[in-house]
Amino acid sequence: VGGGPDVAGQVPKPSRGAATGTGVRGRWLREWGVRYAVIVAWAVEILVFTVLDPNKFLTATNFGAMFGSEGSVLVLALAVVPTLSQNDIDLSVVGVMTLSAIIVGELNGVDHWSLWSSILLAMVAALVVGIINGLVTVKIGVQSMLVTLGMATLLVGMAGFIDHNTTVGGVTPSLASAMNTNIGGISAAFYYALGLAILLWYLFRHTPAGRRMLFVGRGAEVARLSGVRVPQLRMAGFMLGAVIAGFAGVISIGVTGGLEATSLQPLLLPAFAAAFVSTAIFCPGQVNAAGTFVAILFLGTGIQGLELKGLGSWVETAFYGAALIVAVILSRIVFLKARKREAR
């Protein structure tokens, strides 16, 4: 091993790269490029739009509005992380978000329940949905995508039944104030999302449960043979994701003041696009909260810049769709390269 003789009795010569250190530097540069390429692309994106339209794009007002408007989308994207990190796909997160928002709006704004009672019931409903998704997927063995797709449709239908297919609103002004208060030029909803991202980052990086979830994502059978309680962790992922999605609904109704049962459906695409893009940020090949947070801002910056150039609202859907396709491809490439390195 190392500098000892090989089976032929000869001492192998060190490679040119090993002798000069270029091999180590090359690996370091490749790793750095994989981890931070999207951040560099984000900086280039900002630079390009600044050059194209400095008077509109590079202003505190523009960035404040751009970041502030992403609060509920950021939280929804983070709701995808607990399940996707374990290779489960929860398509019901936007349905949970919708149901939660409608419950708060209907109970507080229409039926005049207290704000905290309305929020508590909305969060309990979200948790129940997470439990059902987990039981059907983990205990019965139905594919998570099929279960949660059906659940998403069911939840939107339930939300429409609750609000009678009309716009609900009139929530307590204190909720709107808590979400829309301007802090440093950015609404408070953005900071709630930032705090949640930090909590999830800590969970997955510094707690045994979080690290075991990531272990399950790398290989559920290997994790099970290693003594990890895979079913319980997958259940926890569905429950945590649903609760976060419920919180996204509370933020949404607070920010907008009113909405319909179908108004939040377009947010599913950016949420998953950001989660997949995160696999190319900070932790290559791995869904992560910090990368998801950065990905939403990266995507939002691109959309804002293009819309300022007069391309119209259609660019949002097209941009998110293209980003999702590219992100899935990048995620697959990074995964295959990681597997190849492990095989060596």
Side-chain angles (χ1 to χ4, degrees):
V1 180
D6 61 11
V7 291
Q10 298 177 344
V11 177
K13 295 181 181 180
S15 66
R16 181 182 178 85
T20 62
T22 55
V24 174
R25 285 197 298 271
R27 287 194 299 271
W28 182 86
L29 287 173
R30 285 193 298 270
E31 183 177 347
W32 189 93
V34 171
R35 290 177 182 271
Y36 304 108
V38 174
I39 297 178
V40 173
W42 185 21
V44 172
E45 188 178 53
I46 293 174
L47 178 62
V48 169
F49 286 125
T50 299
V51 171
L52 292 176
D53 202 343
N55 295 327
K56 290 183 179 179
F57 186 80
L58 195 62
T59 64
T61 301
N62 180 52
F63 276 85
M66 182 170 60
F67 289 175
S69 65
E70 299 289 355
S72 57
V73 184
L74 279 165
V75 176
L76 182 65
L78 293 172
V80 176
V81 172
T83 47
L84 200 57
S85 65
Q86 300 185 89
N87 289 329
D88 287 313
I89 296 178
D90 187 355
L91 296 175
S92 71
V93 287
V94 75
V96 175
M97 179 186 185
T98 299
L99 182 64
S100 173
I102 294 298
I103 287 175
V104 172
E106 186 72 19
L107 294 181
N108 179 249
V110 178
D111 297 334
H112 307 296
W113 284 37
S114 71
L115 177 61
W116 288 110
S117 297
S118 304
I119 292 176
L120 178 61
L121 185 59
M123 298 305 291
V124 169
L127 178 60
V128 169
V129 172
I131 292 172
I132 294 173
N133 283 338
L135 288 174
V136 176
T137 301
V138 178
K139 299 299 183 181
I140 300 179
V142 182
Q143 288 187 359
S144 60
M145 184 181 295
L146 298 177
V147 174
T148 56
L149 179 61
M151 180 62 76
T153 307
L154 172 63
L155 294 177
V156 174
M158 291 175 61
F161 171 77
I162 293 172
D163 70 3
H164 309 290
N165 291 317
T166 59
T167 301
V168 297
V171 294
T172 302
S174 59
L175 179 60
S177 176
M179 298 302 166
N180 296 310
T181 297
N182 195 296
I183 303 174
I186 304 174
S187 66
F190 175 83
Y191 296 100
Y192 296 135
L194 176 60
L196 179 60
I198 293 172
L199 287 175
L200 284 178
W201 168 82
Y202 183 85
L203 168 68
F204 284 105
R205 190 173 181 87
H206 295 288
T207 69
R211 290 195 293 267
R212 288 180 186 129
M213 283 183 173
L214 296 178
F215 189 16
V216 172
R218 287 192 290 270
E221 185 61 20
V222 174
R224 185 188 67 81
L225 294 174
S226 301
V228 175
R229 297 180 177 180
V230 174
Q232 289 87 337
L233 288 173
R234 291 178 66 200
M235 278 287 300
F238 279 104
M239 293 163 63
L240 179 58
V243 169
I244 295 173
F247 181 50
V250 175
I251 291 179
S252 181
I253 191 69
V255 168
T256 61
L259 47 80
E260 297 178 357
T262 57
S263 59
L264 298 176
Q265 300 310 297
L267 300 183
L268 183 64
L269 182 58
F272 272 90
F276 277 105
V277 170
S278 77
T279 61
I281 309 174
F282 301 134
C283 304
Q286 186 179 96
V287 177
N288 63 94
T292 300
F293 190 88
V294 171
I296 281 287
L297 299 182
F298 166 69
L299 296 172
T301 300
I303 290 170
Q304 183 76 356
L306 292 172
E307 289 184 348
L308 285 176
K309 297 304 294 179
L311 291 183
S313 58
W314 62 267
V315 74
E316 182 172 347
T317 303
F319 193 88
Y320 280 134
L324 181 58
I325 294 172
V326 172
V328 171
I329 293 172
L330 288 176
S331 176
R332 184 61 180 171
I333 291 173
V334 171
F335 173 79
L336 291 175
K337 285 187 175 181
R339 280 290 181 88
K340 189 175 180 180
R341 285 196 301 269
E342 290 174 1
R344 291 174 182 174

